[in-house]
Amino acid sequence: MANLPTPPMPLPQTSPVKILTRDWHLPECWTLENYLKGGGYQALPKALKMAPQAIVDEVVKGNLRGRGGAGFPTGMKWNFVRKETSFPKYLVVNADEGEPGTFKDRAILEWAPHMFVEGLIIGCFAIDCHVTYVYCRGEFRDGPVARLQTAIDEAYAKGWLGKNILGSGFDLEMHVVRGAGAYICGEETALLESLEGKKGYPRLKPPFPANAGGGLFKQPTAVNNVETLANMPAIIEKGGDWFSSVGCPKNGGTRLFAVSGHSKKTGVFEAPMGTTFTALLNDYCGGMRDGSTLKAIIPGGSSSAIMTAEEAEWMSDFDTLKTKKTMAGSGAVVFLDQSVNMAHALANVTRFYATESCGQCTPCREGTAWLSRLLDKLCRGEGEKKDVDNIHQIARQMEQKTICALADGAAMPVKSYIEKFRGDFDALVKG
Amino acid sequence: MIPLTRPAGPVPSPFNADQQARFDAGFAKAIAKYPADKKRAALLAVLHLAQEQLGWLPEAAMAYVGFLLDVPAVRVREVATFYTMYRLKPVGCHHLEICNSVSCWSKGSEALLKHAKEKLGVHAGEVTPDGKFSFGEVACLAGCGYAPSMVVNNYAYAEDMTPEKFDALIEKLKNEPGQNIADFPKNHDTGRAHG
Ligand SMILES: Cc1cc2nc3c(=O)[nH]c(=O)nc-3n(C[C@H](O)[C@H](O)[C@H](O)COP(=O)(O)O)c2cc1C
Ligand code: SF4
Ligand code: FES
């Protein structure tokens, strides 16, 4: 059977700037031919003539923030790795894409694999990495991974990968490996464990992956998201200052918003960093589906704190949402309408974390399981008023106590759903 | 009991000649991705390969993989049970997995799960009496914008599902071969729900 979904092309694009989606209006936008027509592989020769540090400096200037979830400044991460004196160094790509609501890395791998490959080669050159691994979620084998592998094979054939790339003396091997179904392997240290052939238990930090002792095979390692790297060709071609000017303060460039839920159109939309949720909904997604009014917004994947319809005016960049006590996360936006009871939605979200907790830390393992049981009880109509308070209390006690951020990602929605939609919870309480 | 140590001697292969040829080719590729002294890193890939030959991961396959990569059986088991794509008991020739994470849930995945159960006449995790089908609920598949989303046999995405499209898919798959499910003794209960 056909494995590749038909891309929703032509995509409605109102973004003033197209970086990542530049070619998506073309049929077969993923081919090398189309990528070259759009100006592909012009950044690579330019980058190879630059000093690696100068590339990182452009990335710093461009205010490129990691698109995987945390929004960490990419240039800073690369400088950490560059400072290390232990070799080999690795760049590992996070293509595990497991956060509920997120499907934009899959879109890049399927529709712009060469842009990602070119960006990754430049990134590896910048941090002096000669073997790179792209860790993809297991289910991607026949769609995104097949496209990516074709792009890699073509890049080898053209001399953009392999030994002495374009006569620069720089060698790079690129390998794709696959996970096997575990959300936690999106967490960077769990990903490294998995890449080493083990179960995905996050590692206690420090040492951090960027430092000797903490990365892949204990070597200094930068872990970066697919989308983060796909921005590299544009940064090299047009410069960090230009890239920075596209977004909003401290958040350079555009972002691929993966929109799902009850908006009229759902799919992947490219918009400048900081675009408000109102604009995203109305200008890109055609508003809510017929007969539906916006009730709540999940702004950055299911781990982010929920927003109310009134808060849709907020900007979507990493810093604004942090000050609003939620997060831009993976750029996965879910618009939910009045048909949704938020307690039921939270029960669904929490069940996910209870299932996906790796179980190493007691607050996470017990907390998520307990929360899930109490929320299910509430949804069955068997809950009491004190259960709602209990749920809130348990979530607060899970924060900042664990090896990785999964527990915080499970607690953040719980607190916010209850605080902002208490009525939905109380309505389910019996008696 | 799962042995904690490495096996003393060679472990027999669970594959027939065709499967062995495919497995060997994939095995060579998988370990070539890693430094020579790090071949155990290929464990996930090699388990995928074994499962692709047999439709699931019987004990004999895990033992063989452990032997080839020089990984103790208990470590192989640890990995095989940690990741949900590995099947520790046989599934149907066509194993359907329906996402029930938040985006799909908001677009009717629970109704789809209920429909699957009625249509196939089995519960999640069970196999239809003719061995053709099984289904289960899974977490987000990165198909959230095309919800509800599902995968067939781990890799083939089917999206924007409705009960009608589900029925059409079943009709179509009925006539397709699907995965061969190797007939090995079932593993002992692993204590983990599958599907
Ligand atoms: C539980 C958990 C799951 C994560 N899942 C992903 C994921 O699927 N993809 C991803 O790119 N980053 C994920 N992250 C973030 C990564 O740990 C890491 O910060 C990111 O890959 C770094 O790349 P970036 O700096 O380019 O964003 C996850 C983090 C946590 C705590
Ligand atoms: S916080 Fe949860 S998922 Fe993260 S290491 Fe601890 S138990 Fe595992
Ligand atoms: S929520 Fe179903 S595929 Fe993501």
Side-chain angles (χ1 to χ4, degrees):
Chain A
M1 63 185 295
N3 284 308
L4 296 177
T6 321
M9 294 181 286
L11 282 168
Q13 291 292 340
T14 54
S15 175
V17 188
K18 285 194 204 176
I19 298 174
L20 302 160
T21 62
R22 184 186 68 202
D23 303 329
W24 290 15
H25 60 287
L26 300 170
E28 310 220 323
C29 55
W30 54 85
T31 61
L32 176 58
E33 199 192 337
N34 277 332
Y35 184 58
L36 289 173
K37 263 190 221 153
Y41 289 107
Q42 288 177 10
L44 181 62
K46 186 172 171 191
L48 293 174
K49 290 191 194 94
M50 291 167 73
Q53 185 61 50
I55 296 178
V56 180
D57 293 344
E58 284 305 311
V59 174
V60 171
K61 255 200 265 173
N63 282 317
L64 175 63
R65 307 276 292 263
R67 306 292 198 247
F72 194 84
T74 306
M76 195 192 287
K77 190 183 283 187
W78 289 1
N79 272 328
F80 290 152
V81 175
R82 285 190 56 80
K83 280 205 193 86
E84 292 291 318
T85 49
S86 170
F87 287 87
K89 295 174 181 176
Y90 292 106
L91 202 165
V92 167
V93 183
N94 192 340
D96 197 46
E97 190 143 80
E99 176 80 6
T102 318
F103 52 101
K104 44 96 187 172
D105 295 332
R106 175 181 166 203
I108 294 176
L109 297 177
E110 285 190 14
W111 303 332
H114 276 290
M115 192 176 287
F116 163 66
V117 169
E118 185 180 11
L120 176 52
I121 301 168
I122 296 169
C124 290
F125 178 69
I127 66 162
D128 209 352
C129 156
H130 300 278
V131 181
T132 180
Y133 294 94
V134 186
Y135 182 96
C136 295
R137 67 174 292 160
E139 290 85 353
F140 283 177
R141 185 188 75 180
D142 296 348
V145 167
R147 287 267 166 84
L148 173 61
Q149 192 58 56
T150 305
I152 292 174
D153 295 345
E154 287 167 341
Y156 270 105
K158 293 281 190 185
W160 299 321
L161 277 172
K163 294 254 175 266
N164 190 18
I165 297 171
L166 297 175
S168 64
F170 175 62
D171 303 337
L172 179 63
E173 263 178 55
M174 190 181 297
H175 299 295
V176 183
V177 297
R178 290 192 296 121
Y183 165 68
I184 193 58
C185 291
E187 195 279 340
E188 57 187 4
T189 60
L191 185 151
L192 295 174
E193 287 285 298
S194 185
L195 198 49
E196 292 177 7
K198 302 176 211 158
K199 66 182 176 206
Y201 269 12
R203 297 173 181 165
L204 199 58
K205 285 155 280 199
F208 293 95
N211 302 126
L216 180 64
F217 305 128
K218 297 199 157 44
Q219 293 303 120
T221 301
V223 180
N224 280 114
N225 174 263
V226 173
E227 185 186 345
T228 309
L229 290 158
N231 281 300
M232 286 307 296
I235 292 176
I236 294 303
E237 265 176 68
K238 299 189 176 150
D241 288 331
W242 172 83
F243 191 80
S244 179
S245 74
V246 172
C248 61
K250 296 270 166 235
N251 290 257
T254 59
R255 166 151 233 200
L256 293 185
F257 290 92
V259 180
S260 60
H262 300 145
S263 51
K264 192 166 275 166
K265 292 180 202 140
T266 58
V268 179
F269 302 92
E270 180 169 24
M273 288 296 282
T275 300
T276 67
F277 294 92
T278 313
L280 186 63
L281 177 61
N282 294 330
D283 303 345
Y284 292 78
C285 304
M288 295 297 280
R289 64 182 178 184
D290 291 336
S292 135
T293 43
L294 179 64
K295 175 168 179 175
I297 306 168
I298 299 177
S302 71
S303 310
S304 55
I306 196 85
M307 290 163 53
T308 64
E310 293 72 43
E311 292 163 347
E313 282 301 331
W314 289 355
M315 281 171 69
S316 61
D317 61 288
F318 287 105
D319 302 320
T320 302
L321 291 181
K322 189 162 184 226
T323 64
K324 304 287 189 190
K325 295 201 164 48
T326 181
M327 63 179 189
S330 60
V333 179
V334 190
F335 291 113
L336 297 171
D337 72 11
Q338 80 291 341
S339 68
V340 177
N341 175 297
M342 298 310 291
H344 283 276
L346 181 62
N348 176 288
V349 167
T350 303
R351 200 178 319 130
F352 172 83
Y353 294 103
T355 315
E356 299 298 330
S357 164
C358 84
Q360 276 190 98
C361 320
T362 310
C364 176
R365 182 186 63 241
E366 302 301 321
T368 53
W370 198 8
L371 285 171
S372 185
R373 279 196 302 273
L374 282 174
L375 283 161
D376 283 342
K377 179 181 162 200
L378 194 69
C379 291
R380 284 196 309 270
E382 295 162 14
E384 297 162 43
K385 190 152 185 327
K386 71 170 199 300
D387 288 334
V388 182
D389 296 320
N390 249 334
I391 291 166
H392 192 260
Q393 188 64 24
I394 295 164
R396 283 182 41 198
Q397 293 189 357
M398 281 164 56
E399 288 177 311
Q400 314 258 308
K401 287 192 180 66
T402 53
I403 295 174
C404 89
L406 183 139
D408 300 272
M412 186 144 65
V414 175
K415 289 194 321 179
S416 63
Y417 282 57
I418 294 181
E419 285 160 16
K420 294 187 182 176
F421 296 95
R422 178 81 195 210
D424 280 6
F425 290 81
D426 289 341
L428 295 175
V429 169
K430 71 172 178 201
Chain B
M1 260 311 279
I2 305 159
L4 293 166
T5 49
R6 293 178 172 79
V11 172
S13 162
F15 305 125
N16 68 27
D18 286 351
Q19 293 166 341
Q20 189 73 49
R22 286 194 298 266
F23 177 87
D24 288 346
F27 183 84
K29 270 193 182 168
I31 58 171
K33 292 179 180 178
Y34 290 103
D37 60 334
K38 303 275 194 306
K39 73 175 181 187
R40 77 156 280 178
L43 180 54
L44 272 73
V46 178
L47 285 174
H48 272 307
L49 259 174
Q51 178 164 289
E52 281 156 23
Q53 312 313 316
L54 303 171
W56 64 294
L57 282 179
E59 206 75 66
M62 287 193 262
Y64 181 64
V65 167
F67 162 68
L68 290 182
L69 292 176
D70 194 23
V71 177
V74 68
R75 295 276 167 251
V76 180
R77 171 56 77 98
E78 190 175 65
V79 166
T81 53
F82 188 83
Y83 297 92
T84 55
M85 286 177 76
Y86 299 127
R87 321 236 171 267
L88 301 190
K89 59 180 198 188
V91 288
C93 278
H94 297 288
H95 184 60
L96 313 169
E97 292 176 303
I98 299 171
C99 168
N100 194 22
S101 291
V102 67
S103 305
C104 291
W105 173 85
S106 79
K107 295 293 273 282
S109 56
E110 294 209 316
L112 188 64
L113 279 159
K114 193 159 159 270
H115 179 81
K117 184 171 145 212
E118 282 159 12
K119 172 81 182 171
L120 298 174
V122 291
H123 290 278
E126 295 170 356
V127 182
T128 54
D130 62 2
K132 278 243 156 175
F133 291 100
S134 54
F135 82 101
E137 175 181 330
V138 286
C140 181
L141 294 166
C144 334
Y146 325 109
S149 200
M150 53 183 278
V151 286
V152 183
N153 297 332
N154 272 344
Y155 302 118
Y157 277 76
E159 302 182 295
D160 286 317
M161 292 307 288
T162 58
E164 297 71 43
K165 281 171 94 173
F166 185 86
D167 292 354
L169 180 66
I170 296 293
E171 287 311 310
K172 181 167 162 282
L173 291 174
K174 259 186 193 157
N175 308 314
E176 286 183 15
Q179 12 178 35
N180 291 320
I181 305 298
D183 193 15
F184 280 92
K186 269 195 195 179
N187 294 346
H188 304 292
D189 184 23
T190 55
R192 204 193 72 172
H194 275 267

